[in-house]
Structure formats: C-alpha cells, structure tokens
Amino acid sequence: RPAAIVLDVVRMNDAALLGRPIRAGDLVVIDDGDKLAPLYVRPGTLYNNRAGCFRHDALIGRPFGHRAASVDKRGGYVHVLAPTPELWSLSLSHRTQILYAADVATIVARLGIGPGSRVVEAGTGSGALSTSLVTALSPHGHLTTFEFNEQRCAYAEREFRANGFGADILSCHHADVCEASFAFAPLVAHLADAAIFDLPSPWLVVPKAAAMLKCGGRFCTFSPCIEQVNRTAAALAASRFSGTRVFEVLIRSHDVGSCRPTDEA
C-alpha cells in the first residue's frame, strides 16, 4: 500500500469524517443491502460486488453516506458509509470470534474507559474490540494489546496502522501472556487504568494483572463458559480483587414495522 495513501487516512470515527468529503486513501464501508465490506479508496481502480461495478474515482469528493450507482448493466447501487468501530467489526474478515456492540458497550462502560485512559488488552484476535477501545480512549490515551498468534498479530497491526491508529496511541505485541515467564513490564510502561483479557485461561494471568493495574483499576475477562468464570473469580479473590461481578450480555433485534422479535438473540 503506497505510503502516501496510508498517511492521508484519519483515525476511524474521527469527527473530521462528518465534515469533509471522501478522499483518496480513506477507509469506507460499503453497504450493498445484504452485507458490509471495508474498502480503501484508491484512484484508478474498480470495486465489484453483487450490486455491480463501482469506480473508486467516483467516490472521491462525495460525502460519506452517499448512494453510489454502478457503472455496468446490473444497475445496482451501494451506500458508502463512514467507518465506525461497529461497522468495522461487522465488515472485517473474522480471523477469530469477535465481540459485538452489546459486549463492547458493556466492557467500555464498566471499565470506565474514556479519553486519556491507559488500557491493556490480551487476545487481540481480529482487532474488533481493540478498535472500539482505542476509539474510546482517544486522543490522549493508549492501548497496549497482546496476541499469541504471530500471523494474527501482524495482520491486526497492519490494519490498525492503515486505519490511522499510530504507535502513539496503540501498541501491538506478539506474546503469550499466559506463559509463566511473561511479564507485562517493560512493554506496559505505565500502570494501567483498566485491562480486558479475552483468553481461554484468564485465571492464569490474574496475578500479573493485579501488579500491572493502578490502585482502583478495573479488570475484565470475557469467557463463554461458566466453568471459566468460576476459576477466574477464585483467582481474583486470591489476588485481593474486590467487587467482582458477572454479567451475561444479550441483545435481541426486532423487525421494523412488525415489532416482532427476530429469531436472533
């Protein structure tokens, strides 16, 4: 990817996106009415999907959210949306199971993450949660994220940089935090305000998290099985954490017009 294009990209969800037209190098999210797809706008290239063929050049200078018509005989159209953490999560290639809006909103609110927060994440995965976290703590905070799979770590870091998140606000490291020899210092230079671990065995890392967090800092784990929750709760008590709470987050959508719940939960 040419350096000039990467440098022109503003951070995802930046307020500037709402007040200026699309530029070369911008990340947009294409909505064809059936699915979402991320797209970097590159002059002189074409984008094809089931709705038709679309010229990147025709997107440049248009506002985010506009409806773009195909240039071939299919005569379809797409909506060209500004990227947000939620749209990015829904459109990206799922290299791992990701957390969706209800989970992310609960985590960010319960951890008290806001501008200036210093946060540590273990289990970068597809980078969906990382993107929401770094957006919440911008512009002066910092996210340090760890991923044990080297290929996933490298892929996620490339996407972070392409989406405008520089090393000043996000550090991505390849490491297995569950290894007995692993230490967060010096990779985590300052005591953290909050930590979120999406790991198979988060209880193994609880003592390390206790030493890494500020006094009064908040710690969150995400586990699909109650057995994992039980073991983590016991480890938290042993490390003298207080106020442990467990939440099950569910979301149910409704069909617009019918007001009937869908089968999705």
Side-chain angles (χ1 to χ4, degrees):
R1 188 177 293 115
I5 289 181
V6 174
L7 293 175
D8 191 46
V9 175
V10 298
R11 285 175 179 164
M12 185 181 301
N13 212 30
D14 195 302
L17 289 176
L18 302 178
R20 69 157 176 81
I22 297 170
R23 299 173 183 166
D26 276 343
L27 168 66
V28 299
V29 176
I30 301 296
D31 180 4
D32 66 7
D34 180 47
K35 64 179 182 178
L36 302 173
L39 178 70
Y40 291 96
V41 180
R42 298 189 176 101
T45 57
L46 298 173
Y47 172 74
N48 286 277
N49 67 2
R50 69 183 188 91
C53 178
F54 303 87
R55 291 194 178 96
H56 287 223
D57 289 324
L59 308 181
I60 297 171
R62 300 294 304 280
F64 288 93
H66 80 275
R67 174 169 152 165
S70 68
V71 296
D72 62 4
K73 294 180 180 179
R74 281 174 283 182
Y77 66 88
V78 297
H79 287 96
V80 186
L81 308 177
T84 65
E86 182 182 11
L87 291 178
W88 174 253
S89 299
L90 293 172
S91 66
L92 58 75
S93 173
H94 295 171
R95 297 179 290 277
T96 60
Q97 178 64 40
I98 69 170
L99 304 183
Y100 289 100
D103 307 305
V104 172
T106 302
I107 291 169
V108 171
R110 289 287 174 179
L111 292 182
I113 297 172
S117 296
R118 293 185 175 274
V119 181
V120 175
E121 177 192 26
T124 311
S126 297
L129 177 60
S130 311
T131 298
S132 293
L133 293 173
V134 77
T135 300
L137 58 79
S138 295
H140 304 302
H142 193 89
L143 173 67
T144 306
T145 184
F146 296 89
E147 171 56 46
F148 83 95
N149 183 288
E150 186 173 9
Q151 184 178 8
R152 284 202 298 262
C153 180
Y155 203 103
E157 184 168 22
R158 285 197 299 271
E159 288 183 341
F160 294 147
R161 303 309 178 221
N163 292 342
F165 299 125
D168 61 317
I169 199 167
L170 190 156
S171 303
C172 189
H173 301 284
H174 168 232
D176 184 354
V177 300
C178 293
E179 285 285 341
S181 60
F182 174 81
F184 284 104
L187 296 177
V188 180
H190 303 278
L191 291 177
D193 298 295
I196 165 65
F197 290 176
D198 184 3
L199 303 170
S201 307
W203 55 89
L204 298 176
V205 200
V206 167
K208 299 176 186 178
M212 172 191 67
L213 288 167
K214 290 180 179 179
C215 181
R218 298 183 179 185
F219 177 67
C220 172
T221 66
F222 185 88
S223 299
C225 300
I226 195 64
E227 291 81 7
Q228 294 170 299
V229 174
N230 287 336
R231 296 188 68 172
T232 303
L236 289 169
S239 293
R240 303 183 66 183
F241 278 87
S242 62
T244 301
R245 302 183 69 181
V246 178
F247 297 92
E248 181 180 16
V249 181
L250 301 174
I251 187 169
R252 192 172 193 183
S253 59
H254 286 69
D255 290 327
V256 178
S258 68
C259 291
R260 292 182 178 179
T262 65
D263 292 333
E264 239 181 277

